[in-house]
Amino acid sequence: MPEVRWERLTAPELRALAERNAVVVVPVASLEQHGPHLPVWTDSFIGHSVSVRAAELCADLPAVVTPPMWLGLSEHHFPFGGTISLDYATFAAVLRCIVRSLLADGFSKVMLFNSHGGNIDPLAVSARELAHEFGIPVLTTTITKVAPAAISATLTAQKAIHHACEGETSIWMHLDPGQVRMEEIANSVSPGNFDAGQQVSSRFWSFSERAPVTGVRGDARAATPEKGKAIFEAMAEGLARELRDTANWSPPDDVWRRGRAQGPR
């Protein structure tokens, strides 16, 4: 199987991938608390692992995965400690530097693959602006969006993946069970209704409000390695489908070009 991890490749090998018009997957994650039972680099580990597996599944499509961007917008987790966060301006600037560097390296297809809820809105704006600035397709999606039906069908204590919950804990149990503090699983559940929160309006909420006491949103007690394997493979297959979809990689319309309003519709 060809190597797909950027950090394991040589510069000539990466130049060859650029010449083949390879897709670059940039896992975008965070460093934040994940309750009393999971490591703070959970989002980075899971996002990168899914990205690598998806690239491996795309044998018919050259793809390469960078090391994860391990800092995101995580200020809502500060009440529980163990968190390092960027602000939006810095986050957007780092993404711009990454995409600009990939262009200099000869690549022109970028997937910003997100594994952290706090990055969803900022990434949507950044991907749009980067496509306008650099004239290349810059995609973004979030790990929970590439296989929602399969995730929901696998979980038993909750309808979707939340935070340090049944889903994330199950994936850790599948990939690296030694990192799960099993003695803390009984304490890793949200008090109250952790499915609540589908408000019409948007505003800032910290995790002391969203997931009080434990910092967990969901119920880790229902986690199993079998669920983790099913969710992990479904996520990888979902991302692989997005990478293979040729419609995703058409050049963006240069809507800001002088006189574009007078051109063909």
Side-chain angles (χ1 to χ4, degrees), residues 6 24 30 33 43 80-81 93 104 107 124 140 174 200 215 225 228 255 260:
W6 182 289
V24 181
S30 60
Q33 68 85 24
D43 290 347
F80 291 93
F107 295 94
T140 187
H174 166 58
V200 174
V255 294
R260 177 65 182 88

Side-chain angles (χ1 to χ4, degrees), residues 124-190:
V125 175
S126 291
R128 178 174 176 165
E129 291 299 300
L130 290 167
H132 290 323
E133 179 175 359
F134 295 118
I136 64 169
V138 179
L139 275 63
T140 187
T141 189
T142 294
I143 200 166
T144 54
K145 293 183 177 181
V146 293
I151 293 169
S152 180
T154 303
L155 299 173
T156 58
Q158 53 194 79
K159 296 177 181 178
I161 291 178
H162 298 294
H163 182 77
C165 56
E166 177 186 5
E168 287 190 328
T169 305
S170 292
I171 296 172
W172 266 108
M173 287 178 170
H174 166 58
L175 293 175
D176 191 357
Q179 290 292 318
V180 181
R181 280 60 167 177
M182 296 300 297
E183 70 278 6
E184 293 289 347
I185 290 290
N187 303 317
S188 301
V189 59
S190 301

Side-chain angles (χ1 to χ4, degrees), residues 61-100:
L61 172 78
V64 62
V65 180
T66 70
M69 180 175 162
W70 57 272
L71 282 174
L73 274 73
S74 301
E75 74 278 11
H76 45 301
H77 290 279
F78 278 137
F80 291 93
T83 298
I84 300 177
S85 181
L86 299 177
D87 57 29
Y88 174 71
T90 307
F91 180 75
V94 172
L95 289 172
R96 182 179 182 274
C97 289
I98 291 172
V99 173
R100 191 180 184 189

